[in-house]
């Protein structure tokens, strides 16, 4: 009897990670490679959070009666996402403060500059450039000096010369995805990446020019950065490996979701009619008043409550964002950006003459959480076609659980349509459920809309007490503060009357109140 020939075969992995992500690859200098285990694990967990569109509505961050709310109202009669003008105002403010010497003094940390680096993603045809141009048009109507801006499209040799000549300037980059792709892959731009990494921490950067014997050295480089890109093309320009790289993680991100109350067919023209120019002039007048407020471009300090509040907020993230799949390097840098936001938001609230208080600190943390959600959303979008099956299984699993049935592979399969079941290989749903069960045990993943905003219980009562007091008359307090700034400017400059003339168009039924709100006046 002939001896049977033994053969060995390599068993194809059947875990959910491999079944769903085995076709995913990332680009490298040597070609392409499959995802490593830690990358597969992170990507699967990222799919477990699915934020609702309203989570990205920037109006949730806007104090009533503030300058930012007036900007939002200026854009009401368009279909432009409110995030675009609001964030451009934030970045213009950061650059204005940077260029005029503002800083935040934190004992032991030193001076923090308001050098925010932010990237916005919006859909194609969402009027990204128009929104920025409209804000620039409003600011330029003011009496202040124009912002110094860095030139764009420079090779690395040109870029360092440009920064040397305009250190501290505003780098506004449209189509930033294309620019970053060049920085990461094109030899003519490759030195910009390491220079930016050093500039983020204000470390010296240098370059020896061919025409000169001595090196060009910038001892303390710094600038503010605002980039805009098309959401649909970002992943084509920046692959997953690059997104998780230290360069891209230096930036905070925001997602400008489409508005639900209108669309492009409601607006043939933007900003038309006799009231538009007076409204622009009024907004420019308020901007000038903010720029002229006492202490606007000086050293900001924190009152005694703020640093303990921020520390407790940061600790509270451990059980929410700390257990999510958002890489810790994103969380760390967005968290530090809160210090930069303190100056920007305190300025925009018209409170520069006072130490930064809890009202401003709470607003800054909410902007940070907005950036957490946005960064996670962006990373979740990588290769959605191959990974969306996890979300399909997760949704079916939730329906089975809500119906009181046992959450098994068979029950989840029955909850799917015939077309949905056809997407899965044999045994794949069971493997997905095992992964989802592990993920659900981590707080803050499936319910990120609530847990991601949890504050430390140690200060919860104090925070709620303060917020209740602040919200009681938020609109009236902020409108009163802006009125007083503008009236103060009128007294020093009698020709300045635009705010008074156009005030009725921007606010109505406002009663001026004098309330004993310590630190929030």
């Amino acid at each position: 009897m002939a001896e049977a020939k033994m053969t060995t075969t390599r068993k194809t992995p059947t875990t959910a990670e491999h079944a769903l992500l085995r076709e995913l690859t990332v680009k490298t200098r040597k070609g392409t490679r499959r995802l490593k285990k830690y990358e597969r694990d992170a990507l699967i967990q990222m799919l477990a959070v699915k934020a609702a569109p309203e989570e990205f509505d920037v109006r949730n961050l806007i104090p009533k009666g503030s300058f930012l709310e007036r900007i939002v109202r200026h854009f009401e009669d368009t279909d432009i996402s409110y995030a675009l003008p609001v964030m451009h105002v934030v970045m213009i403010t950061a650059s204005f403060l940077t260029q005029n010497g503002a800083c935040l003094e934190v004992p032991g940390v030193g001076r923090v500059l308001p050098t925010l680096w932010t990237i916005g993603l919006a859909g194609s045809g969402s009027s990204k450039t128009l929104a920025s141009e409209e804000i620039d048009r409003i600011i330029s109507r003011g009496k202040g000096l124009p912002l110094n801006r860095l030139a764009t499209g420079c090779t690395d040799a040109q870029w360092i010369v440009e920064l040397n000549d305009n250190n501290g300037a505003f780098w506004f980059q449209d189509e930033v995805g294309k620019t970053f792709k060049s920085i990461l892959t094109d030899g003519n731009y490759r030195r910009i990446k390491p220079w930016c990494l050093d500039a983020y921490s204000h470390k010296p950067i240098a370059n020896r020019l061919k025409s000169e014997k001595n090196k060009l050295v910038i001892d303390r480089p710094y600038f503010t950065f605002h980039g805009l890109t098309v959401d649909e093309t970002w992943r084509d320009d920046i692959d997953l490996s690059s997104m998780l790289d230290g360069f891209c993680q230096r930036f905070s991100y925001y997602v400008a979701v489409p508005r639900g109350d209108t669309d492009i067919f409601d607006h043939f023209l933007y900003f038309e009619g006799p009231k538009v120019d007076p409204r622009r002039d009024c907004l420019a007048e308020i901007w000038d008043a903010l720029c002229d407020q006492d202490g606007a471009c000086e050293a900001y300090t924190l009152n005694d409550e703020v640093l303990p509040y921020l520390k407790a907020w940061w600790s509270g993230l451990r059980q929410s964002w700390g257990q999510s799949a958002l890489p810790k390097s994103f969380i760390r840098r967005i968290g530090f950006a809160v210090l930069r936001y303190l100056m920007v938001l305190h300025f925009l609230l018209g409170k520069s003459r006072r130490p930064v208080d809890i009202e401003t600190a709470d607003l800054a943390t909410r902007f940070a959480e907005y950036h957490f959600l946005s960064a996670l959303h962006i990373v979740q979008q990588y290769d959605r076609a191959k990974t969306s099956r996890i979300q399909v299984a997760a949704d079916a699993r939730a329906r089975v659980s809500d119906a009181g049935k046992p959450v098994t592979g068979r029950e989840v399969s029955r909850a799917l349509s015939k077309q949905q079941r056809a997407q899965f290989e044999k045994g794949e749903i069971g493997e997905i459920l095992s992964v989802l069960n592990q993920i659900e045990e981590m707080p803050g993943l499936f319910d990120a809309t609530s847990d991601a905003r949890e504050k430390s219980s140690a200060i919860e009562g104090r925070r709620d007490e303060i917020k209740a007091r602040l919200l009681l008359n938020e609109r009236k307090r902020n409108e009163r503060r802006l009125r007083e700034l503008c009236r103060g400017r009128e007294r020093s400059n009698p020709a300045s009357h635009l705010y008074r003339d156009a005030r009725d168009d921007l606010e109505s039924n406002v009663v001026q109140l004098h309330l004993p709100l310590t630190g929030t006046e």
Side-chain angles (χ1 to χ4, degrees):
M1 181 175 179
E3 184 178 356
K5 185 177 181 180
M6 297 183 63
T7 60
T8 59
T9 59
R10 179 175 295 180
K11 185 178 180 181
T12 301
T14 57
T15 63
E17 294 96 323
H18 287 86
L20 295 173
L21 306 177
R22 59 174 174 246
E23 298 177 21
L24 278 177
T25 59
V26 294
K27 296 177 182 177
T28 68
R29 291 183 177 179
K30 297 180 180 179
T32 60
R33 65 167 174 79
R34 297 186 184 280
L35 291 179
K36 297 178 181 178
K37 186 179 186 304
Y38 79 90
E39 292 171 327
R40 293 197 306 270
D41 293 343
L43 197 54
I44 286 178
Q45 291 189 46
M46 289 166 188
L47 290 165
V49 183
K50 187 178 181 181
E54 55 267 22
E55 288 296 297
F56 299 101
D57 189 344
V58 76
R59 289 176 297 177
N60 297 329
L61 305 175
I62 305 306
K64 298 186 188 317
S66 66
F67 179 61
L68 289 178
E69 188 187 46
R70 295 166 190 265
I71 290 293
V72 166
R73 290 162 66 180
H74 181 62
F75 281 78
E76 280 181 347
D77 194 24
T78 73
D79 64 292
I80 297 174
S81 173
Y82 293 127
L84 293 169
V86 165
M87 292 307 301
H88 197 62
V89 168
V90 166
M91 296 309 302
I92 288 287
T93 302
S95 187
F96 169 79
L97 295 175
T98 297
Q99 293 184 33
N100 289 280
C103 66
L104 176 67
E105 293 186 340
V106 182
V109 175
R111 293 191 169 188
V112 179
L113 301 183
T115 48
L116 291 172
W117 290 13
T118 306
I119 294 174
L121 286 80
S124 177
S126 57
S127 302
K128 299 182 298 300
T129 304
L130 177 61
S132 301
E133 289 175 346
E134 178 63 13
I135 296 300
D136 291 342
R137 184 180 295 112
I138 290 169
I139 299 301
S140 67
R141 291 185 175 222
K143 307 301 181 184
L145 295 175
L147 288 178
N148 193 16
R149 295 178 180 245
L150 290 176
T152 59
C154 301
T155 63
D156 52 14
Q158 296 168 324
W159 184 87
I160 195 170
V161 173
E162 176 69 14
L163 183 61
N164 181 68
D165 294 342
N166 300 281
N167 198 22
F170 182 36
W171 182 356
F172 175 70
Q173 184 66 60
D174 206 356
E175 299 297 338
V176 66
K178 307 295 183 189
T179 300
F180 278 13
K181 184 176 182 179
S182 296
I183 290 174
L184 295 171
T185 62
D186 192 322
N188 292 321
Y189 301 87
R190 62 182 176 83
R191 288 182 295 178
I192 295 178
K193 175 183 174 180
W195 285 338
C196 283
L197 294 176
D198 287 334
Y200 180 85
S201 303
H202 314 309
K203 296 178 181 178
I205 60 176
N207 181 39
R208 186 184 299 280
L209 302 179
K210 292 181 179 180
S211 59
E212 299 179 6
K213 295 181 179 179
N214 299 322
K215 279 188 177 181
L216 172 61
V217 179
I218 306 176
D219 290 325
R220 194 165 188 257
Y222 63 98
F223 54 86
T224 49
F225 181 93
H226 186 202
L228 294 176
T229 192
V230 176
D231 191 8
E232 295 88 344
T233 63
W234 173 258
R235 293 175 299 279
D236 296 330
D237 296 324
I238 308 297
D239 65 16
L240 180 60
S241 179
S242 298
M243 185 66 189
L244 299 178
D245 177 72
F247 176 69
C248 288
Q249 291 179 4
R250 291 298 196 279
F251 300 86
S252 296
Y253 296 84
Y254 68 91
V255 177
V257 297
R259 285 166 53 182
D261 60 329
T262 186
D263 60 32
I264 61 172
F265 301 105
D266 292 330
H267 311 280
F268 178 62
L269 296 174
Y270 295 127
F271 306 114
E272 56 90 19
K275 292 186 177 181
V276 173
D277 276 329
R279 193 165 65 232
R280 286 170 175 155
D281 290 336
C282 175
L283 291 169
E285 182 75 13
I286 299 173
W287 171 257
D288 281 347
L290 289 170
C291 293
D292 289 344
Q293 64 182 301
D294 292 340
C297 297
E298 299 175 7
Y300 288 68
T301 59
L302 309 177
N303 74 19
D304 293 339
E305 292 181 303
V306 169
L307 200 53
Y309 177 87
L310 292 177
K311 290 179 179 178
W313 165 76
W314 183 252
S315 296
L317 297 177
R318 184 192 307 276
Q319 296 304 317
S320 52
W321 285 103
Q323 298 295 331
S324 78
L326 184 62
K328 300 300 186 295
S329 52
F330 279 100
I331 296 174
R332 171 74 269 177
R333 292 184 176 101
I334 293 172
F336 184 78
V338 165
L339 297 179
R340 297 178 172 128
Y341 260 109
L342 292 176
M343 292 170 274
V344 172
L345 298 175
H346 211 58
F347 169 92
L348 288 171
L349 289 172
K351 302 191 296 184
S352 294
R353 73 186 189 279
R354 294 178 174 271
V356 175
D357 55 27
I358 291 288
E359 179 186 33
T360 303
D362 180 74
L363 185 58
T365 61
R366 288 193 281 129
F367 268 89
E369 290 163 5
Y370 173 64
H371 290 309
F372 289 155
L373 278 173
S374 296
L376 183 57
H377 170 82
I378 292 167
V379 182
Q380 284 177 323
Q381 303 310 302
Y382 279 87
D383 214 281
R384 288 173 294 180
K386 295 188 181 74
T387 57
S388 62
R389 298 198 297 279
I390 297 179
Q391 192 63 57
V392 171
D395 292 342
R397 174 179 175 273
R399 293 196 299 271
V400 170
S401 178
D402 292 342
K405 299 178 181 179
V407 182
T408 63
R410 176 174 293 184
E411 291 294 340
V412 170
S413 180
R414 288 176 176 174
L416 299 174
S417 68
K418 182 178 180 180
Q419 183 178 7
Q420 288 175 326
R421 281 195 297 272
Q423 301 178 46
F424 298 93
E425 299 175 6
K426 183 179 179 180
E428 189 176 5
I429 292 177
E431 291 291 339
I432 294 174
L433 292 179
S434 68
V435 173
L436 294 179
N437 288 336
Q438 295 173 9
I439 293 173
E440 191 181 38
E441 294 174 0
M442 301 179 186
L445 288 174
F446 281 94
D447 51 357
T449 57
S450 58
D451 283 353
R453 284 177 169 72
E454 283 187 359
K455 308 296 179 180
S456 169
S457 59
I459 61 167
E460 188 71 30
R462 176 61 175 153
R463 171 183 176 273
D464 287 347
E465 174 191 339
I466 293 170
K467 287 200 69 176
R469 185 182 68 182
L470 295 176
L471 291 173
L472 181 63
N473 287 282
E474 181 182 69
R475 178 183 296 280
K476 295 173 183 178
R477 181 180 66 257
N478 286 326
E479 289 180 340
R480 181 187 66 186
R481 188 183 295 124
L482 291 182
R483 276 199 304 271
E484 291 304 318
L485 287 175
C486 289
R487 286 171 179 167
R489 196 166 184 277
E490 287 178 17
R491 287 191 288 271
S492 62
N493 181 13
S496 176
H497 57 78
L498 295 172
Y499 177 81
R500 182 178 66 247
D501 293 346
R503 188 171 60 208
D504 292 339
D505 183 48
L506 283 175
E507 61 179 65
S508 60
N509 301 322
V510 176
V511 179
Q512 183 171 352
L513 299 178
H514 298 278
L515 301 173
L517 297 174
T518 304
T520 63
E521 188 178 337

